[in-house]
Amino acid sequence: MKHLLKVIGIVLMVFLFCGISFAEVYVIDEGMGGGFKTNPDPDYAPFEAHGSKGAQIAMLYEIPKSGVQIYRIPMTGKALIGEHNGTDDPALVYILNGYGELVNTDGKGKATATIKFKTGDLIMFHQPQPMHYWTAGPAGCELMYIMFPPEAK
């Protein structure tokens, strides 16, 4: 639990002090002699939730021995990530640019809550994640999705 809170704190500090967008992901580690840049051209794949269109996802980095995974999700104008329940793991979603809506549902498509997000917003999913879908505004948006492993018991 302490490790998870430390990782969340570091991620939030990076977002707050380094700006709202990024081009590369650099990993700095004392044992690496200065660090390294992760894959600058990750493999993007279409987002596979039912009904999705105009959204892709790529893993940028997985922190070794932690289970923490960092993804980038670009969405074209008016794109949709179809209704899904995500994972059973807690997650942070940082809005790198653009705006749109996150809609929580009852699992049958009926909206139960709507969040209108914009550049710089941070959304935290606790576990388990509710059924939900995402829509991008007319100019599109880009999300950073950080998935954390379930808390150790």
Side-chain angles (χ1 to χ4, degrees):
M1 178 65 168
K2 276 186 177 181
H3 180 70
L4 177 61
L5 291 175
K6 183 178 178 180
V7 171
I8 290 172
I10 291 169
V11 169
L12 290 174
M13 285 176 36
V14 168
F15 290 154
L16 293 173
F17 294 112
C18 295
I20 58 175
S21 189
F22 66 94
E24 306 289 350
V25 175
Y26 293 91
V27 179
I28 309 300
D29 188 301
E30 183 177 27
M32 294 181 193
F36 64 93
K37 182 169 53 173
T38 64
N39 183 359
D41 188 23
D43 293 326
Y44 284 91
F47 207 96
E48 294 186 8
H50 179 70
S52 295
K53 61 178 182 166
Q56 296 185 340
I57 187 168
M59 182 188 292
L60 300 178
Y61 188 67
E62 181 171 5
I63 299 173
K65 301 178 185 176
S66 73
V68 176
Q69 298 174 339
I70 303 169
Y71 295 87
R72 179 183 277 170
I73 304 172
M75 298 175 69
T76 60
K78 299 188 179 182
L80 169 70
I81 295 177
E83 187 177 31
H84 64 286
N85 65 345
T87 68
D88 287 335
D89 302 327
L92 290 173
V93 181
Y94 183 73
I95 312 307
L96 294 166
N97 60 61
Y99 67 91
E101 292 184 346
L102 164 63
V103 181
N104 291 336
T105 70
D106 63 359
K108 297 176 185 167
K110 182 180 177 190
T112 58
T114 300
I115 296 171
K116 294 180 185 269
F117 63 81
K118 64 188 178 316
T119 299
D121 285 351
L122 182 66
I123 298 167
M124 175 72 188
F125 283 102
H126 287 271
Q127 57 192 59
Q129 295 181 14
M131 293 294 287
H132 60 278
Y133 63 88
W134 301 79
T135 59
C141 62
E142 188 171 13
L143 316 175
M144 177 186 285
Y145 179 86
I146 303 171
M147 184 174 65
F148 298 90
E151 294 182 39
K153 302 246 182 216

